[in-house]
Amino acid sequence: MPDAPSPSLPAPWRHRMHTIIFEADTPFGRAFDVVLLLAIIGSTVAVMLETVEPIQEQHGPLLRAIEWGFTILFTVEYVARLVSVERPTRYARSFFGIIDLISFLPTYLSLLIPGAQTLLVVRLLRLLRVFRILKLVRLLDEQMEITRAVWQARNKILVFVYTVLMVVSVTGAIMYLVEHDVNDGFRNMPQGMYWAIVTMTTVGYGDVTPVTVVGKVLASLIILIGYALIVVPTGFVSAELVNHRSRRRRAAMLTTQACPSCMSEGHDADASHCKYCGTELEPQTTPQTHPGDHA
C-alpha cells in the first residue's frame, strides 16, 4: 500500500504554482517575477500619465483600457496566490497580501468613485518583491533591521517630538505676544505655532516673518535650535542600529524560498523546516549565493 502524502506539503500542482509565484530560485519563478515587475512599472506609468490633462485628452480611452488590462492581470495573479498557499486567509491578512489586494481594488472602486484609480500608485510597494529577483535578500534583512531600530528607539523619538511640540507652543505664544499688534501674520497663537514649525524645521516658507526686533532675535534662536535638533532622531536610530548589529553577528546564508504555509522567507540554506511555523520545506537543489560572497 503506497504511503500517504505528507500533510505538511501541498498537492503537486499547488506546489508547482507556489514555487513559480512565491519563489525566485527557478527559471519559471524568476521569469514570473520579471513579468510582474514590468507590469507594476507599466501600470504605474499609465496611471500617472492619465493625470496629465493633454495626454488624457488625446489618449484617455487607451490609457483606461491599458489600466483595466493590468487590473485583470493582477486580479488573476491575486487569485492564483490564494489558491497556491495552504492558508489563503493568512496570506490575505499579511502585509503583501493586503498590498496585492489594494493594487487592483481602486480600479473597480473607480466605477463608483471617479478618480479612485489614482490610488493605484500603491502598486509601487510591490516592487519590494524585486529584491528576491536580484538576489538582494540581504537588503530585505537590512530593511527589517532599520524598521526594528526605529521601533526600539520609539520612546526616545516620542520624547523628542514632545519636546519639539513644547518649544513650538511656547515660541508661538511669545511671537503672538510681541508681533500681533504690528504684524498681520501673527493674528493668533495657531499662526504663531505654524511659523515656529516652519522655522524650526528649516523649511522657511517666508509667508510669515517677524518685523519687530524681539521677534527677529527670537526667530534667529529658533533657526539655530532647529539646526541642532535635526540630528537628534538620526542619532537615536543610529545608536539602535549599532546595538542591534553588535547583538546580531550571524553570517548564515539566506534563501529566497518561501514557506508554503506561512509565506515567510529568509530561511537558512540547509533548513528543512520553516523556522516560523515548522512546515516542511522543499529541499533546495542549488546553493544560494549572493553578490560578494566569494569576493
Side-chain angles (χ1 to χ4, degrees):
M1 182 176 180
D3 296 334
S6 173
S8 60
L9 292 176
W13 65 271
R14 286 177 58 195
H15 172 69
R16 288 194 295 271
M17 183 183 295
H18 182 276
T19 301
I20 293 174
I21 295 177
F22 283 94
E23 300 176 15
D25 297 329
T26 64
F28 287 109
R30 190 178 181 88
F32 178 87
D33 283 342
V34 170
V35 172
L36 180 62
L37 163 64
L38 296 177
I40 293 172
I41 295 176
S43 64
T44 304
V45 171
V47 171
M48 293 181 177
L49 291 178
E50 193 176 0
T51 62
V52 181
E53 187 172 348
I55 297 179
Q56 184 183 25
E57 292 176 354
Q58 296 182 11
H59 308 288
L62 175 61
L63 291 174
R64 289 292 289 169
I66 292 175
E67 178 50 44
W68 273 104
F70 282 123
T71 296
I72 294 174
L73 175 64
F74 289 135
T75 303
V76 173
E77 181 227 351
Y78 180 74
V79 174
R81 289 182 183 275
L82 292 176
V83 172
S84 65
V85 297
E86 291 185 352
R87 301 177 182 177
T89 56
R90 184 168 184 174
Y91 165 72
R93 295 194 302 266
S94 66
F95 171 77
F96 278 115
I98 295 174
I99 294 299
D100 292 342
L101 175 62
I102 63 179
S103 69
F104 62 84
L105 197 58
T107 303
Y108 297 109
L109 291 178
S110 66
L111 297 175
L112 302 175
I113 307 175
Q117 69 273 14
T118 56
L119 298 176
L120 291 173
V121 293
V122 74
R123 286 175 180 169
L124 291 175
L125 292 177
R126 303 192 68 194
L127 293 179
L128 292 173
R129 299 184 188 273
V130 179
F131 289 159
R132 301 189 311 122
I133 307 173
L134 302 178
K135 297 297 183 182
L136 299 178
V137 181
R138 289 180 177 177
L139 292 186
L140 289 176
D141 198 42
E142 296 294 332
Q143 175 197 357
M144 292 302 300
E145 189 172 328
I146 294 176
T147 303
R148 190 180 299 110
V150 173
W151 177 252
Q152 290 175 346
R154 64 188 183 279
N155 293 332
K156 300 182 181 69
I157 295 176
L158 287 176
V159 172
F160 168 77
V161 172
Y162 175 71
T163 303
V164 171
L165 289 177
M166 286 194 303
V167 174
V168 166
S169 300
V170 173
T171 304
I174 297 176
M175 289 300 293
Y176 165 74
L177 179 64
V178 300
E179 292 280 336
H180 78 279
D181 289 334
V182 295
N183 193 338
D184 291 337
F186 294 90
R187 289 190 299 268
N188 49 57
M189 286 183 59
Q191 285 188 310
M193 294 176 62
Y194 159 77
W195 169 87
I197 293 173
V198 171
T199 304
M200 183 173 291
T201 56
T202 70
V203 176
Y205 287 144
D207 54 341
V208 180
T209 56
V211 296
T212 65
V213 175
V214 176
K216 291 180 179 180
V217 171
L218 183 60
S220 301
L221 293 176
I222 291 299
I223 292 172
L224 294 176
I225 293 174
Y227 275 114
L229 290 178
I230 288 176
V231 299
V232 175
T234 306
F236 292 156
V237 176
S238 299
E240 292 297 338
L241 282 172
V242 172
N243 292 335
H244 176 70
R245 288 180 177 177
S246 66
R247 297 190 301 264
R248 183 176 172 272
R249 296 293 185 184
R250 64 182 182 89
M253 197 183 311
L254 303 179
T255 71
T256 62
Q257 186 178 23
C259 172
S261 178
C262 67
M263 287 76 67
S264 298
E265 298 181 2
H267 300 96
D268 294 340
D270 58 350
S272 60
H273 291 77
C274 175
K275 61 183 178 182
Y276 301 102
C277 68
T279 300
E280 184 177 353
L281 300 175
E282 181 72 11
Q284 295 291 293
T285 57
T286 57
Q288 299 298 309
T289 59
H290 302 277
D293 285 345
H294 303 291

